Amino acid sequence: MSDDENAMGRHRESGRKRSLSVSLTVPEMDCPSCAKKVDKSLKRRDGIHEVTLQPTTGTAAVMYDPDRIDEAAVVAAIEGAGYDVVGRDDDDGGDATEVAIAPSAAVWSSPRAIKTWIGAVFLTLGLLVEFVLAGQNVVVASVLSYPVTVADGSFLVAIVISGAPVVRSGYYSARNLSLDIDLLMGTAIIAASAIGFFVEAATLAVLFSIAELLEDYAMDRARDSLRELMELSPQEATVRRNGTEVTVPAEDVAVGETVVVRPGEKVPLDGVVVEGESAVDESPITGESVPVDKSSGDDVYAGSINEEGYVEVSVTSKAGDSTLAHIIAMVQGAREKKTEREQFVDRFAGYYTPTVVVLAILTAALPPLVLGLHWQIWFIRGLTLLVIACPCAFVISTPVSVVSGITSAARNGVLIKGGNHLEAMGAVDVVAFDKTGTLTRGELAVTDVVPFGDNDEQAVIGHAAALERRSEHPIAAAILDRFGGVDASEVPTPTAFETLPGKGVRADIDGETYYAGTPALFEELGFEFLGPHRATDGGAITAGSTVEDPMETLEELEAAGKTVVLVGTASTLVGAIGIADEVRPVARRAVARLHELGIEHVVMLTGDNEGTARAIADEVGVDAFRAELLPDEKVAAVESLQADYGEVAMVGDGINDAPALATADVGVAMGAAGTDTALETADIALMTDDLGKLPYLYSLSHTANGVIRQNIWSSLGVKALLAVGVPFGYVSVALAVVVGDMGMSLGVTGNAMRLSRVRPERFSD
């Protein structure tokens, strides 16, 4: 079962064991400790094969054996951990994830919020009567000989209403043997109430409930960014069936059917334009805000917006297999790949909470028992340490930053396939570029036609076009493209065509054998050229000229980094053709920007010859280049860079450079929109060929690493300061909740949201 299929949550057979998979919506599972509680509850059930929990999206993907456990039991196990399952993705095609990612504003009108506000009212009334209207604070009842005043009654109501959800969650934590914030807070509320500390218990219940609501709101804000991404995919499509237009769910449209897209509508599925013309806004896929002109034969993507014209599109993939669907699934699945810092945080939290809980117990017990100090004071201080034992802000500091960074990148046309890749990209020391198709456009074009002797340009290009007519080499395509401007009647018809691999082609024209190929081919035929001449795949563009000296022509063209194709017979040269691959206009600026951002080593790796490589390297401004590399030699070059400088990001096309991309610490594929291979092979995919997105990617990743460090150390630092102040009486329960729990959770989430403000720069062409 693929990750994408599992993310879509359909029931399927998997592997040699009979297994089914279901994706369930658990919106209240919004923190790592919540997920651990659910995980423990599920794994105690027989027949559960695999559990994937994503608190950042509020979803649980479970693979189970239907012969030993059914879906109802899976749901019961999750609800047994204290969390309601409100949706599921089954064979009917329901979309569970949309339910989980509800608008953040809904938090304030939830049942939990209503209980919290009622509790806050009674807490406020109790405080007023207790400290302001003391004369009205009369005894209204007696419980076990303990007098209960008006203020106490208000506090008790606040405890019951606001504290009940906390205690309930604590009960489920205890049942699942999970030492988490719910268990700690529930225990503290019950203990404080049991010994008559109603003010502290009510304050803790209300403030902690408010803190939970604020954390839910902050998490939902992070979820909103993913919800916006998901909403880009249209739910319906207008299909032409039997000559009639009908509107159906997008998932019901089959490959090969024709959908109609009018101005202002979203393209419902990936396809090819078969009728009409329009400008299409592809920013949801590529991040480019400038509309792209589309006409018959052009590809369009689901989620893109038809700006002005009427078009009909032949569908090429089902709704679940569209480029946008792949992006959404990968962004959701990216949370499963934890960063090194996140793994450290999880390990640290496993020691931090038990340690502080033990300190809290010792703080409450030892001073009264050993030193004879007032037990009530030290009980409150122990209670305060119990509140500080919650690692919530510390634990969520990394996940919210990763979610914010990955979804922000996706909206700007950069697909990051895991938090680990986001972290690694921000720490690279070297960026290595492939040349062809990366720094250059990868589109060869004839730039020079140089006749020799009495021949003219038409004779040179005509003979070359005739010779290359049956060849499928990119150089042949460039020559034939240039031949489009030559009178076809002037082109002779070749016979006895033969390809000479790695050298060129041979054919008979008017009874004489002609050749078109590299200088090395003509050296084998008996021509003498000084110096090495190897075929290249492009270089800078210059104007051509007619010369009498072939040697001078070869030197000039190769010095300019161009591919040289000679045309002639075994005894006579007709002429030379210069072919170049144009450097991308933004390449030099992108390389310079990487240097400005702190990348000290930018390197070009290419299979081209040294002359062409040097010309391109000088033009784009890289620090070094390595030429004439075969694919396995590119791998060795990446390993060498890692040994010399540190972590390496390799940028290529995601297909030809797959070994080097896999070897690098981060593999970045360009132009991945609509290319499944690039989406699958790379760690990070730029959805367009815009090199300007690479400095943005590094800037975002580098900033994300800084935000994660700030979140981790600030949350730990605040907790440490509060813990130190507790024994001296400087920190109250309210301060511990407001600053240590609620305040820091909001702080780290707000800091993470800053990543959404990192934008790509506009590099002018």
Side-chain angles (χ1 to χ4, degrees), residues 251-331:
E251 62 189 20
D252 291 343
V253 180
V255 173
E257 289 196 280
T258 299
V259 297
V260 173
V261 188
R262 292 181 169 81
E265 294 180 348
K266 290 182 179 179
V267 177
L269 302 109
D270 286 3
V272 177
V273 176
V274 293
E275 184 176 329
E277 297 180 354
S278 182
V280 176
D281 177 5
E282 295 184 337
S283 60
I285 307 297
T286 65
E288 293 297 325
S289 58
V290 179
V292 180
D293 291 334
K294 299 288 184 178
S295 58
S296 182
D298 291 333
D299 293 328
V300 290
Y301 306 114
S304 54
I305 303 169
N306 183 17
E307 293 282 341
E308 52 190 37
Y310 169 93
V311 293
E312 294 184 4
V313 176
S314 176
V315 175
T316 57
S317 65
K318 291 184 67 65
D321 295 325
S322 70
T323 301
L324 182 59
H326 281 293
I327 292 172
I328 293 171
M330 288 180 179
V331 170

Side-chain angles (χ1 to χ4, degrees), residues 327-617:
I327 292 172
I328 293 171
M330 288 180 179
V331 170
Q332 288 178 307
R335 277 296 306 122
E336 299 174 27
K337 302 172 183 177
K338 293 186 176 182
T339 67
E340 291 184 8
R341 290 187 179 90
E342 194 170 358
Q343 295 174 38
F344 159 75
V345 166
D346 287 345
R347 292 192 301 268
F348 183 87
Y351 295 102
Y352 168 83
T353 300
T355 300
V356 179
V357 168
V358 170
L359 289 176
I361 294 172
L362 294 176
T363 299
L366 288 183
L369 294 176
V370 177
L371 303 176
L373 299 178
H374 197 287
W375 73 271
Q376 289 180 322
I377 293 176
W378 288 96
F379 178 83
I380 293 299
R381 292 177 182 176
L383 197 68
T384 305
L385 268 180
L386 205 61
V387 174
I388 293 172
C390 167
C392 278
F394 178 58
V395 171
I396 70 172
S397 59
T398 301
V400 295
S401 302
V402 170
V403 169
S404 179
I406 288 177
T407 53
S408 176
R411 288 198 302 270
N412 286 292
V414 179
L415 178 59
I416 303 174
K417 294 169 59 177
N420 52 337
H421 305 312
L422 176 71
E423 181 182 51
M425 186 65 205
V428 297
D429 304 292
V430 183
V431 174
F433 287 96
D434 174 54
K435 179 180 74 68
T436 305
T438 304
L439 291 173
T440 66
R441 293 188 183 276
E443 299 173 358
L444 300 180
V446 173
T447 60
D448 303 82
V449 179
V450 185
F452 295 147
D454 296 331
N455 298 295
D456 56 19
E457 287 190 10
Q458 187 166 328
V460 176
I461 198 67
H463 280 83
L467 289 164
E468 299 284 8
R469 187 175 277 172
R470 296 181 185 178
S471 174
E472 296 181 356
H473 194 280
I475 288 178
I479 291 173
L480 292 172
D481 186 58
R482 175 64 176 264
F483 161 67
V486 177
D487 185 355
S489 64
E490 300 293 329
V491 179
T493 301
T495 58
F497 175 85
E498 182 182 357
T499 297
L500 306 173
K503 300 175 183 178
V505 295
R506 174 176 57 199
D508 292 343
I509 299 176
D510 295 333
E512 188 172 7
T513 301
Y514 279 80
Y515 300 83
T518 66
L521 169 62
F522 282 83
E523 285 178 341
E524 292 180 5
L525 295 175
F527 290 87
E528 294 185 2
F529 302 118
L530 297 177
H533 300 283
R534 297 181 178 87
T536 73
D537 62 355
I541 297 177
T542 62
S545 59
T546 301
V547 296
E548 296 296 332
D549 185 357
M551 190 63 240
E552 179 183 344
T553 300
L554 293 179
E555 290 176 347
E556 288 180 356
L557 292 176
E558 290 195 343
K562 299 179 181 181
T563 298
V564 178
V565 175
L566 294 177
V567 181
T569 66
S571 58
T572 305
L573 288 176
V574 176
I577 298 174
I579 297 176
D581 183 6
E582 183 182 1
V583 172
R584 294 185 186 277
V586 302
R588 185 173 186 84
R589 177 62 185 130
V591 170
R593 183 60 181 146
L594 287 173
H595 283 137
E596 293 169 5
L597 291 170
I599 299 293
E600 295 183 1
H601 305 284
V602 180
V603 181
M604 183 181 74
L605 307 180
T606 179
D608 213 337
N609 70 52
E610 184 145 343
T612 298
R614 186 181 304 280
I616 300 296

Side-chain angles (χ1 to χ4, degrees), residues 130 209 273 474 637:
E130 179 85 11
S209 292
V273 176

Side-chain angles (χ1 to χ4, degrees), residues 152-178:
D152 291 337
S154 293
F155 294 141
L156 284 169
V157 173
I159 292 168
V160 171
I161 294 176
S162 294
V166 182
V167 174
R168 175 181 177 274
S169 297
Y171 161 74
Y172 284 112
S173 297
R175 200 170 80 169
N176 288 283
L177 303 178
S178 179

Side-chain angles (χ1 to χ4, degrees), residues 742-756:
M742 175 172 62
M744 284 312 304
S745 293
L746 284 175
V748 298
T749 304
N751 195 32
M753 292 299 103
R754 291 194 301 116
L755 295 175
S756 64

